[in-house]
Amino acid sequence: MAFDFYMPDIGEGVVEGEIVAWKVKEGDRIKLDQVLVEVMTDKATVEIPSPRAGVVKKIHYKDGDICPVGKVLVVIEEDGAPASASNGSSTQHEAPRAHAPVAASAAPVAAASGGTQIEVVDVSDTRARVLATPATRRLARQLGVEIGRVPATGKHGRVTTEDVRRFQQNGAPAATPASARPQPAPVSIPSTGAEERIPLRGMRKRIAESMTRSVQTAAHFTYVEEIDMTELVTVRERAKDKAAERGVKLNYLPFIVKAIVSGLKKWPQLNASLDETTQEIVRKKYYHIGIAAQGPHGLAVTTVRDADKRSIFDLAKEIERLGEAVRNGTATREELTGSTFTISSLGKLGGVLATPIINFPEVAIVGVHKIEEKPAVRNGQIVIRHLMNLSISVDHRLADGWDGAMFLQDVKALLEDPTTMFMEMI
């Protein structure tokens, strides 16, 4: 009997996934729990196993396609009678419930795959799944609208916030969907010689989409300041041995995190996001600092949660742990989401200056550049100092140039006088 396997829930708020790579093809005989496909959602890749043994009859989405949650992913011709993981019964067309826990466990897979494998639980439901973001669902609850009755005009049949508002106001959908901004025609690159064509998918495609959205939405401006790190270089050298005794590799990033958190407490408009649904500026009272790190599949932002409550040594240990997880491809969704402000640093390769792109929907991002010994004028004398540039890109919709400049001046003051920084931490 043919079994329709629907794209399962992979995480809270996830409404679709990109097909990274199929591990089977049509006509293949598969076993129960055999990996069918790698799927990417946000910045986490998961391997989805088969809930049935049998033969792959029909694959509905090819590599690079976007499959909405609740749509048929693959059809399996079953071997013998099907058995449900939930109650021992099964139907031919099974779709996961809107809030069914399909990810019962998550375990790291080989570093080469860069993802996690989930345990998929079959759950029967005769109702069609409603595709909508958490913000849209919240709006529907606030307006007393039953979201299942709202006609969808969004991509892949998704209910949008405009659909909900229109339904609440009119009790019926508008005759035509809301008009969208015209998009430029796709650029075609003709072949003119020896070349290699690599499909844009997976992590690289997600990075491209995220960066494009940030640039097209946030009104970027960048401010740069030179930092005299000489005193902090001395402090860090003195602290390295103590850190090593605790198994911690101490670099400058934990000190920079502490200075930034202190600055954010004075300038809360930079530790914020814009709720586009409600048109509210959301200022966060918590400090989850994103650290942009290069992994085997591209740039990833790991999240150091509650950075304001951590010591310098604790920050160093957590940053190192998260960086290792990215390099091994084992970072979890929890470790790759939820940041409120991001730091982008290439360490010794940091260069002189960069204009980092905001990690949308955050308000700002700081770029950390390399520390170099350079001549500087102090008290009318030319002396050698350890100098470094910090750059900050800010969303001008939510913060002004004054805010960004004053924030960076406060960070500068703390980094140049570590004693003051430690006083701020108490």
Side-chain angles (χ1 to χ4, degrees):
M1 183 173 69
F3 169 73
D4 290 348
F5 181 38
Y6 293 77
M7 171 69 90
D9 267 327
I10 300 175
E12 180 65 27
V14 174
V15 298
E16 62 188 19
E18 179 185 344
I19 307 301
V20 177
W22 281 98
K23 303 300 184 182
V24 298
K25 61 182 182 299
E26 291 181 1
D28 281 359
R29 179 166 292 281
I30 56 174
K31 300 177 181 178
L32 177 68
D33 293 332
Q34 178 178 338
V35 174
L36 294 175
V37 63
E38 281 186 17
V39 175
M40 172 172 284
T41 63
D42 294 330
K43 293 181 179 178
T45 302
V46 297
E47 292 181 339
I48 297 181
S50 175
R52 296 288 191 271
V55 176
V56 178
K57 184 177 180 182
K58 177 68 175 178
I59 292 175
H60 283 273
Y61 293 85
K62 63 181 183 295
D63 289 0
D65 284 352
I66 302 296
C67 179
V69 170
K71 294 294 184 180
V72 177
L73 183 63
V74 61
V75 179
I76 300 170
E77 191 68 39
E78 296 184 69
D79 285 343
S84 170
S86 58
N87 57 12
S89 62
S90 176
T91 61
Q92 185 173 354
H93 300 282
E94 297 186 35
R97 290 193 183 101
H99 302 286
V102 303
S105 64
V109 295
S113 69
T116 56
Q117 181 173 356
I118 65 170
E119 178 185 339
V120 175
V121 179
D122 260 341
V123 183
S124 300
D125 199 336
T126 58
R127 297 173 298 171
R129 181 180 178 82
V130 176
L131 295 181
T133 65
T136 302
R137 295 179 185 276
R138 183 172 64 249
L139 176 64
R141 290 194 298 269
Q142 291 172 346
L143 298 179
V145 171
E146 184 181 340
I147 198 167
R149 297 178 55 207
V150 178
T153 64
K155 186 178 179 181
H156 302 306
R158 183 181 300 174
V159 175
T160 68
T161 56
E162 290 79 10
D163 295 335
V164 172
R165 293 185 187 280
R166 188 164 49 243
F167 187 90
Q168 190 265 346
Q169 292 170 1
N170 304 330
T176 57
S179 60
R181 285 186 295 176
Q183 297 296 317
V187 176
S188 178
I189 308 297
S191 179
T192 57
E195 60 189 28
E196 179 184 7
R197 293 194 170 235
I198 303 169
L200 179 62
R201 63 171 64 115
M203 179 67 81
R204 189 74 260 164
K205 183 176 181 181
R206 198 52 57 96
I207 291 172
E209 293 171 345
S210 178
M211 295 297 99
T212 299
R213 181 181 183 189
S214 180
V215 170
Q216 291 180 345
T217 305
H220 284 64
F221 77 86
T222 301
Y223 173 82
V224 184
E225 184 56 80
E226 183 180 70
I227 314 295
D228 188 338
M229 297 283 283
T230 306
E231 298 301 323
L232 189 55
V233 167
T234 301
V235 169
R236 182 245 181 183
E237 283 297 323
R238 286 163 47 193
K240 280 172 59 177
D241 291 342
K242 288 291 184 182
E245 291 174 4
R246 304 186 185 193
V248 176
K249 183 178 179 181
L250 184 63
N251 57 28
Y252 296 101
L253 206 48
F255 297 98
I256 294 171
V257 169
K258 276 298 185 184
I260 282 176
V261 168
S262 179
L264 291 175
K265 289 182 177 181
K266 294 181 181 178
W267 302 93
Q269 56 269 50
L270 298 182
N271 195 54
S273 296
L274 175 63
D275 188 324
E276 296 178 341
T277 302
T278 62
Q279 287 296 291
E280 294 174 326
I281 299 173
V282 183
R283 292 187 176 179
K284 316 293 176 61
K285 304 291 186 179
Y286 46 92
Y287 302 89
H288 300 337
I289 304 300
I291 307 293
Q294 191 67 25
H297 305 287
L299 184 69
V301 177
T302 57
T303 303
V304 179
R305 297 185 182 277
D306 298 316
D308 58 318
K309 301 175 183 177
R310 295 177 182 266
S311 68
I312 292 291
F313 287 166
D314 189 24
L315 283 171
K317 193 170 185 178
E318 181 68 357
I319 291 169
E320 184 177 4
R321 184 190 72 80
L322 291 170
E324 188 68 21
V326 168
R327 289 188 290 273
N328 293 338
T330 58
T332 65
R333 178 180 174 82
E334 175 77 7
E335 293 167 337
L336 294 170
T337 57
S339 58
T340 62
F341 185 99
T342 295
I343 299 171
S344 178
S345 172
L346 287 176
K348 294 180 180 180
L349 300 177
V352 176
L353 175 65
T355 55
I357 298 174
I358 295 167
N359 184 22
F360 189 83
E362 295 168 18
V363 171
I365 182 172
V366 159
V368 179
H369 309 292
K370 65 181 178 181
I371 301 173
E372 284 190 305
E373 285 188 302
K374 293 182 180 181
V377 178
R378 297 291 184 269
N379 300 320
Q381 302 293 319
I382 298 177
V383 294
I384 301 301
R385 306 290 288 182
H386 292 271
L387 302 180
M388 175 189 76
N389 288 337
L390 283 184
S391 59
I392 182 170
S393 294
V394 180
D395 187 346
H396 217 322
R397 298 178 306 163
L398 305 182
D400 297 324
W402 171 266
D403 302 324
M406 292 305 296
F407 165 81
L408 212 54
Q409 288 296 326
D410 282 339
V411 172
K412 170 184 170 76
L414 292 173
L415 292 176
E416 292 187 341
D417 187 352
T419 303
T420 305
M421 183 194 303
F422 296 133
M423 289 179 179
E424 291 278 353
M425 290 164 50
I426 295 174

